[in-house]
């Protein structure tokens, strides 16, 4: 049984119509798909049957689609409710978002300033402490804007020597902390006064012969950086 994470909302867009699906509405659709019953789904979602019908009607009216199909049983029974193809697609998209969020639940949060914008190359440079990073151009930003750069721990590559590659951002640092977490090694690296965390496998840690105080290089692709304007 899979539930949406508390507090998460999904913006669903279909043919130009959009709807914000919250925790209860997502779980209602999920449980309808699992149980084949609106009554059972409402009970598991902890809402009334009337509220469940209201949720379904609101989603269908806003998106201008049918998301459930109800079949009445005859004298021998056999009735039930199932999601339409559109309803199943909504659940699928939300599950995909859940999986991505779970995969990238730990991120490095770096406060930075837009240092340079190069529209011709489609890139911009951000600055934090004495470090400069390159990332794809966001036309909403201008030089001087303060932003929060987010980089997932598992998007940080650790190298013993800088290597020629498509990775634009490579920095020299020192390993300051190592700890085992969920069969992975979480490595903390100081790159010029900025702490960066990277999650690597146990075997990768052994291959790199990592230990506290060791000098390493870290790298990450520009496309792996997500940003928020402060």
């Amino acid at each position: 049984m899979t539930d949406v994470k508390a507090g998460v909302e999904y913006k669903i867009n279909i043919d130009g119509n959009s709807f914000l699906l919250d925790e209860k509405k997502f779980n209602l659709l999920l449980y309808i798909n699992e149980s084949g019953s609106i009554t059972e789904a409402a009970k598991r979602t902890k809402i009334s049957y009337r509220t469940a019908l209201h949720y379904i009607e609101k989603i269908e009216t806003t998106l201008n689609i049918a998301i459930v199909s109800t079949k009445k049983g005859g004298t021998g029974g056999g009735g039930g409710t199932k999601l339409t193809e559109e309803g199943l697609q909504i659940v699928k998209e939300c599950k995909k978002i859940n999986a991505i969020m779970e995969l990238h639940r730990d991120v490095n949060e770096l406060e930075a300033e837009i240092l340079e914008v190069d529209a011709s190359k489609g890139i911009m440079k951000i600055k934090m402490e004495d470090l400069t990073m390159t990332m794809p151009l966001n036309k909403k930003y201008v030089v001087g804007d303060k932003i929060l750069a987010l980089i997932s721990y598992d998007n940080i590559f650790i190298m013993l020597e800088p290597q020629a590659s498509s990775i634009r951002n490579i920095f020299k640092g020192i390993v300051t902390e190592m700890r085992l977490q969920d069969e992975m090694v979480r490595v903390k690296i100081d790159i010029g006064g900025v702490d960066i965390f990277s999650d690597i496998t146990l075997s990768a840690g052994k291959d790199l012969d990592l230990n506290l105080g060791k000098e390493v290089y870290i790298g990450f692709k520009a496309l792996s950086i997500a940003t928020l304007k402060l």
Side-chain angles (χ1 to χ4, degrees):
M1 182 173 66
T2 303
D3 290 355
V4 64
K5 297 181 182 300
V8 174
E9 292 184 322
Y10 307 93
K11 187 175 183 181
I12 306 301
N13 294 285
I14 297 180
D15 296 332
N17 298 317
S18 62
F19 185 84
L20 201 61
L21 204 70
D22 61 15
E23 176 185 2
K24 287 188 180 295
K25 294 180 182 66
F26 173 81
N27 283 332
L28 177 65
L29 298 187
L30 189 68
Y31 297 149
I32 289 175
N33 189 47
E34 291 178 355
S35 68
S37 166
I38 295 177
T39 301
E40 177 62 21
K43 185 185 301 181
R44 290 167 64 178
T45 309
K46 298 181 181 179
I47 59 176
S48 69
Y49 180 77
R50 184 187 294 263
T51 299
L53 292 180
H54 173 68
Y55 284 172
I56 293 169
E57 181 183 8
K58 189 171 183 180
I59 296 171
E60 291 184 331
T61 301
T62 303
L63 295 178
N64 195 29
I65 59 171
I67 60 173
V68 297
S69 173
T70 301
K71 179 182 178 182
K72 293 183 178 180
T75 55
T81 300
K82 65 178 183 179
L83 296 182
T84 63
E85 287 299 320
E86 290 82 1
L88 288 170
Q89 186 62 32
I90 289 173
V91 170
K92 179 182 176 181
E93 289 303 313
C94 292
K95 283 185 174 181
K96 283 166 57 178
I97 295 171
N98 269 356
I100 293 170
M101 289 174 60
E102 181 65 22
L103 182 63
H104 299 291
R105 65 187 183 276
D106 295 317
V107 295
N108 293 285
E109 299 183 9
L110 309 172
E111 290 192 17
E113 179 181 341
I114 304 297
L115 185 66
E116 182 182 325
V117 173
D118 190 332
S120 63
K121 294 182 179 179
I123 62 172
M124 59 185 184
K125 292 184 179 180
I126 63 175
K127 183 178 181 352
M128 63 200 74
E129 301 294 336
D130 295 325
L131 300 176
T132 302
M133 297 182 183
T134 300
M135 59 187 300
L137 176 65
N138 186 323
K139 294 181 179 179
K140 296 180 181 178
Y141 299 152
V142 297
V143 173
D145 278 350
K146 306 291 184 182
I147 66 168
L148 186 65
L150 307 174
I151 314 170
S152 176
Y153 290 1
D154 52 10
N155 276 334
I156 304 293
F157 303 95
I158 300 178
M159 303 164 281
L160 297 181
E161 295 290 340
Q163 302 172 10
S165 70
S166 61
I167 298 176
R168 290 178 176 269
N169 298 291
I170 297 178
F171 305 96
K172 186 175 182 179
I174 298 175
V175 176
T176 58
E177 182 181 304
M178 296 177 62
R179 53 191 168 95
L180 186 63
Q181 183 163 327
D182 298 330
E183 301 303 317
M184 301 286 286
V185 179
R186 179 155 294 176
V187 186
K188 182 179 179 181
I189 303 154
D190 180 347
I191 54 170
V194 176
D195 290 328
I196 296 289
F197 290 90
S198 174
D199 282 346
I200 62 173
T201 62
L202 286 169
S203 59
K206 291 178 180 178
D207 291 342
L208 293 169
D209 190 26
L210 294 182
N211 50 67
L212 297 182
K214 184 163 188 172
E215 289 190 349
V216 295
Y217 290 84
I218 68 161
F220 49 90
K221 293 182 177 180
L223 288 173
S224 68
I225 309 175
T227 63
L228 298 170
K229 189 175 180 179
L230 296 176

